[in-house]
Amino acid sequence: DAKTTQPTSMDCAEGRAANLPCNHSTISGNEYVYWYRQIHSQGPQYIIHGLKNNETNEMASLIITEDRKSSTLILPHATLRDTAVYYCIVRVRPYSSASKIIFGSGTRLSIRP
Amino acid sequence: NAGVTQTPKFQVLKTGQSMTLQCAQDMNHNSMYWYRQDPGMGLRLIYYSASEGTTDKGEVPNGYNVSRLNKREFSLRLESAAPSQTSVYFCASSDPGQVSSYEQYFGPGTRLTVT
């Protein structure tokens, strides 16, 4: 699985959009970009994933550059409850067997009132 | 549905003691995983089970054993606990057969302290 690079920490004002970057310059053609987050003391929570097109769901949007070497997770209207560590993971999507997720250190996002 | 449940929530052991962490899921998922998370660090995979009856090592398997008891349950055993195993342990499950999306569902964690 490709390695990812994320800033150690970021902060954002409540109500504004939080944009979390991730570099994955060695990504392969069959690898997806996944985002998880971990709110303090809880288990990680899946947010979104994508291959090459931009994706949006009820939680966030994922913007992947055309060369797929980087991506940005966007939380459109950040709230205090979005304070968490956000993990960007690049991996092949499995079809028939368990596939390991290798978590890095992630980005600690703090939302300020 | 309860999702992924873990017991116990907290445990304190003395060095050399043994214990088993229990995990169960009610989502009919094929695959289950055990991770550990040390303070200020990301999660590291200990063992995983692709399906009932199979288990494989992850990044940090030393000092642990696992049992996939049935499709619902996946336990993690520490035979002789060491202070280096002080950590938060998370269990997760997934169903790779769902080709429309893929995600792992995590339990609430077990906080283990070895003195």
Side-chain angles (χ1 to χ4, degrees), chain A residues 23-64:
Chain A
N23 286 323
H24 31 80
S25 58
T26 60
I27 192 170
S28 300
N30 62 346
E31 288 182 311
Y32 288 71
V33 180
Y34 288 82
W35 283 84
Y36 281 74
R37 74 179 182 183
Q38 186 175 23
I39 295 170
H40 181 61
S41 298
Q42 298 181 21
Q45 175 191 24
Y46 165 83
I47 302 173
I48 198 167
H49 77 283
L51 181 62
K52 54 184 177 182
N53 297 322
N54 298 337
E55 301 287 345
T56 296
N57 63 21
E58 64 279 3
M59 288 182 68
S61 295
L62 174 60
I63 309 298
I64 303 174

Side-chain angles (χ1 to χ4, degrees), chain B residues 8-68:
Chain B
K9 286 187 170 52
F10 301 92
Q11 183 72 49
V12 178
L13 291 177
K14 294 187 188 308
T15 296
Q17 287 185 317
S18 62
M19 79 161 294
T20 300
L21 282 63
Q22 306 287 354
C23 174
Q25 52 90 10
D26 61 3
M27 296 174 282
N28 201 36
H29 284 169
N30 287 317
S31 302
M32 298 185 72
Y33 312 79
W34 276 105
Y35 294 87
R36 62 176 286 176
Q37 185 174 35
D38 299 332
M41 306 287 287
L43 280 76
R44 291 184 292 170
L45 183 66
I46 306 172
Y47 271 94
Y48 68 101
S49 170
S51 60
E52 186 178 352
T54 69
T55 60
D56 283 289
K57 295 178 180 179
E59 301 172 78
V60 289
N62 292 344
Y64 305 95
N65 286 302
V66 290
S67 295
R68 183 72 183 269

